[in-house]
Amino acid sequence: MPYNPLKTSGLFSTRHPSRAVLPLCVALLALSACKEEKHHNQPELMVASPAPPPSPAGGAGSAATQQASLAYSHSITVRVPLASFDKHYADLRDACLHDQTLHCLLLSALIEHDGADDQSPIAHVEVRLPHDQISAFIARALHPLPGDKPGDVQAIRQSTQAEDLSQPVADATTRNAELENYRNRLTELSKRPDTKAADLIQIERELAHTQAEIDNTATSLRDMNTRIDTESLFIAFQSIAPEKQTKPASPIRDALAQSGALFIGSLADVIRFVFGALPWVPVVLGGAAILRFAGRRWKRIPFRWPWDRTPRA
């Protein structure tokens, strides 16, 4: 019979199978316990993770969370009388510059007159305001000034737009956290005593580049947060021309008023006719000469039928 070490071994004897399996289980448990103890004795590497980005608007978040990621912009066209056009423009501009209760930021202001008749000036005021000051500023733009009649100041065009900045803000926040982590790691490398001079120069160059990216990202993030926390308002002014007194129509007065234009138009027609007929003068004269010569020739030669064979005298 061939030799079988499993059968001849005392641990795996077929006579007492339970006694053979018990020592093996104890050994496996002891080995696993040693591995777990070794695993727990090792120090854990703590890595700082950035805060999770805010959830984009439109999800299951609250209404305040959804609204906090929207950037609103408003546009309104106001029709005002021509006499008080400059006053309405100056009133809104000065209110934004000097009224501290509005917390207004003047972005642009323009007024322009067309010069000659000055019947169609243009003006606009663009501001940035907190959410709760938009209605008050629009009401001030539509408020009549002293000298205006009821109904003279009207809003003839309004529009509102909203831009969702939740994803750009989340991307900028994540990018800023990654850059700051990278900058900290570079700073730690630069402080190591065994760092070579060439490596230190490269690290300092990379630190400067990373800091510039951090500043750009922070500026972009600050601008987006400003657009979210406030609202922009663009107000354009349109003038109302004063009504002119109409006089009763008179045919004689209208004819006298249009006499100059009629004379000039008729003179222009005569000039066009003369210069248009000049090229035809040689043609007409040549045709007349040919006809005259043919007539004289016809009178000298007597008429004769084609079938007449009588010799001529």
Side-chain angles (χ1 to χ4, degrees), residues 22 35 40 71 81 137 152 156 170 183 226 237 245 248 263-264:
L22 183 59
K35 289 183 178 180
H40 287 294
F137 202 82
D152 283 349
I156 59 176
R183 181 189 60 184
T226 301
F237 293 99
Q245 297 180 357
F263 175 77
I264 293 175

Side-chain angles (χ1 to χ4, degrees), residues 93-110:
R93 182 197 59 191
D94 296 342
C96 183
L97 290 175
H98 305 298
D99 193 350
Q100 302 297 329
T101 60
L102 292 175
H103 303 285
C104 178
L105 175 63
L106 183 63
L107 300 180
S108 66
L110 171 69

Side-chain angles (χ1 to χ4, degrees), residues 172 175-180 183 206-224:
R175 179 60 177 168
N176 194 26
E178 293 175 353
L179 290 173
E180 289 181 354
R183 181 189 60 184
E206 191 67 19
L207 271 174
H209 179 69
T210 304
Q211 185 61 43
E213 290 190 8
I214 291 175
D215 295 339
N216 293 334
T217 306
T219 301
S220 177
L221 188 60
R222 184 171 57 253
D223 293 342
M224 287 188 291

Side-chain angles (χ1 to χ4, degrees), residues 165-198:
L165 297 179
S166 57
Q167 191 60 42
V169 169
D171 295 341
T173 303
T174 303
R175 179 60 177 168
N176 194 26
E178 293 175 353
L179 290 173
E180 289 181 354
N181 187 20
Y182 183 57
R183 181 189 60 184
N184 296 336
R185 291 167 56 190
L186 290 175
T187 304
E188 293 178 359
L189 287 177
S190 64
K191 294 180 180 179
R192 294 178 58 178
D194 55 345
T195 304
K196 298 180 181 180

Side-chain angles (χ1 to χ4, degrees), residues 20-300:
V21 176
L22 183 59
L24 180 60
C25 293
V26 174
L28 292 176
L29 291 174
L31 182 60
S32 63
C34 292
K35 289 183 178 180
E36 291 180 0
E37 183 179 0
K38 181 179 180 181
H39 175 73
H40 287 294
N41 289 335
Q42 292 180 353
E44 295 182 355
L45 181 62
M46 302 299 293
V47 180
S49 59
S55 59
S62 61
T65 304
Q66 296 177 5
Q67 187 179 3
S69 301
L70 296 178
Y72 287 96
S73 59
H74 310 275
S75 178
I76 180 172
T77 302
V78 182
R79 187 177 62 183
V80 298
L82 182 61
S84 59
F85 187 87
D86 294 352
K87 295 180 181 179
H88 282 275
Y89 163 77
D91 180 69
L92 285 188
R93 182 197 59 191
D94 296 342
C96 183
L97 290 175
H98 305 298
D99 193 350
Q100 302 297 329
T101 60
L102 292 175
H103 303 285
C104 178
L105 175 63
L106 183 63
L107 300 180
S108 66
L110 171 69
I111 185 170
E112 182 177 352
H113 295 274
D114 53 4
D117 54 355
D118 199 15
Q119 296 296 317
S120 301
I122 59 174
H124 75 263
V125 175
E126 185 177 5
V127 298
R128 182 169 292 279
L129 295 162
H131 301 292
D132 55 350
Q133 296 293 338
I134 291 293
S135 300
F137 202 82
I138 293 178
R140 182 160 188 164
L142 299 177
H143 184 71
L145 296 179
D148 295 339
K149 298 178 181 179
D152 283 349
V153 182
Q154 296 181 0
I156 59 176
R157 188 181 299 109
Q158 296 187 45
S159 65
T160 299
Q161 295 180 351
E163 183 181 358
D164 189 4
L165 297 179
S166 57
Q167 191 60 42
V169 169
D171 295 341
T173 303
T174 303
R175 179 60 177 168
N176 194 26
E178 293 175 353
L179 290 173
E180 289 181 354
N181 187 20
Y182 183 57
R183 181 189 60 184
N184 296 336
R185 291 167 56 190
L186 290 175
T187 304
E188 293 178 359
L189 287 177
S190 64
K191 294 180 180 179
R192 294 178 58 178
D194 55 345
T195 304
K196 298 180 181 180
D199 296 339
L200 186 60
I201 294 174
Q202 185 67 23
I203 291 173
E204 293 296 335
R205 185 181 298 113
E206 191 67 19
L207 271 174
H209 179 69
T210 304
Q211 185 61 43
E213 290 190 8
I214 291 175
D215 295 339
N216 293 334
T217 306
T219 301
S220 177
L221 188 60
R222 184 171 57 253
D223 293 342
M224 287 188 291
N225 288 330
T226 301
R227 293 179 57 191
I228 293 172
D229 296 337
T230 58
E231 301 180 17
S232 65
L233 176 60
F234 182 88
I235 300 178
F237 293 99
Q238 183 176 345
S239 63
I240 305 175
E243 297 182 358
K244 297 181 179 180
Q245 297 180 357
T246 58
K247 298 181 180 180
S250 175
I252 298 177
R253 187 183 296 107
D254 294 341
L256 291 176
Q258 299 175 4
S259 59
L262 291 174
F263 175 77
I264 293 175
S266 301
L267 182 61
D269 293 337
V270 172
I271 294 174
R272 291 191 188 96
F273 174 77
V274 171
F275 281 94
L278 282 178
W280 293 96
V281 172
V283 177
V284 173
L285 295 178
I290 293 173
L291 291 175
R292 185 177 182 183
F293 176 79
R296 291 180 178 180
R297 183 86 178 191
W298 181 268
K299 291 180 179 180
R300 292 177 183 177

